[in-house]
Amino acid sequence: MTVTIVSKFAGLVTNFEVRAVLLGRGADPQVPPDPPRTREAANCEVKVLEALQKSPAALQTREMISAFSEAIEVFGLTKGEKLQLVNEVPSTLVHIHVIVEDCEERFSGEQLDTLLELIETHLGSSRLDQGEKGGSEDDE
């Protein structure tokens, strides 16, 4: 089997997208991989999927991420900042300050409160804090 690199860097992908790909590839320790991969690659995929099943990605849908992305356009965040917000789903201002570079210079307290509200509205950080699971039906 040969692998062809289509593009060295096609863009950023969310943990949700990685999870969907792994689920689509059959990253399940009980099912033989299709197409066949080395045992090491298959084991790695299973471990990554197990970690993603415990992350915010397990609760997200494409629609949630799309709506959130549209809602935060007014903030002028970088692609990396948007990606981290989706992947980490911060629930505190401190966490947002860690993710968003020069946060205090770029945004007022009111703007940051609004951003936090948008995260809760679209990505549901309180559900994550409570440990709810779901969102698996819309993964692909």
Side-chain angles (χ1 to χ4, degrees):
M1 177 166 92
T2 61
V3 176
T4 304
I5 297 175
V6 176
S7 173
K8 287 186 180 182
F9 184 72
L12 303 173
V13 295
T14 64
N15 288 347
F16 169 81
E17 293 165 315
V18 172
R19 181 176 168 268
V21 167
L22 291 176
L23 287 170
R25 286 177 53 99
D28 184 337
Q30 307 303 318
V31 179
D34 182 32
R37 296 180 291 287
T38 66
R39 180 181 298 289
E40 293 81 14
N43 287 341
C44 181
E45 289 181 4
V46 168
K47 289 181 190 263
V48 170
L49 182 59
E50 286 173 355
L52 291 175
Q53 297 289 62
K54 298 174 187 172
S55 77
L59 299 172
Q60 295 172 344
T61 66
R62 273 186 217 294
E63 293 77 19
M64 290 168 66
I65 294 170
S66 180
F68 176 69
S69 295
E70 289 177 24
I72 63 171
E73 279 300 314
V74 297
F75 290 94
L77 297 165
T78 67
K79 290 179 183 179
E81 290 167 341
K82 292 175 190 176
L83 179 71
Q84 289 184 71
L85 290 174
V86 169
N87 285 346
E88 297 184 28
V89 189
S91 59
T92 66
L93 290 175
V94 171
H95 197 167
I96 290 176
H97 278 266
V98 171
I99 293 171
V100 178
E101 190 171 335
D102 300 323
C103 194
E104 53 279 339
E105 286 89 32
R106 292 168 56 195
F107 305 108
S108 69
E110 185 177 309
Q111 288 172 311
L112 292 174
D113 288 339
T114 300
L115 180 58
L116 203 54
E117 288 173 20
L118 289 171
I119 292 167
E120 174 59 36
T121 299
H122 294 285
L123 302 177
S125 62
S126 66
R127 285 183 291 171
L128 299 172
D129 294 339
Q130 296 168 6
E132 291 181 20
K133 286 291 177 192
S136 59
E137 291 85 41
D138 296 325
D139 289 342
E140 299 174 54

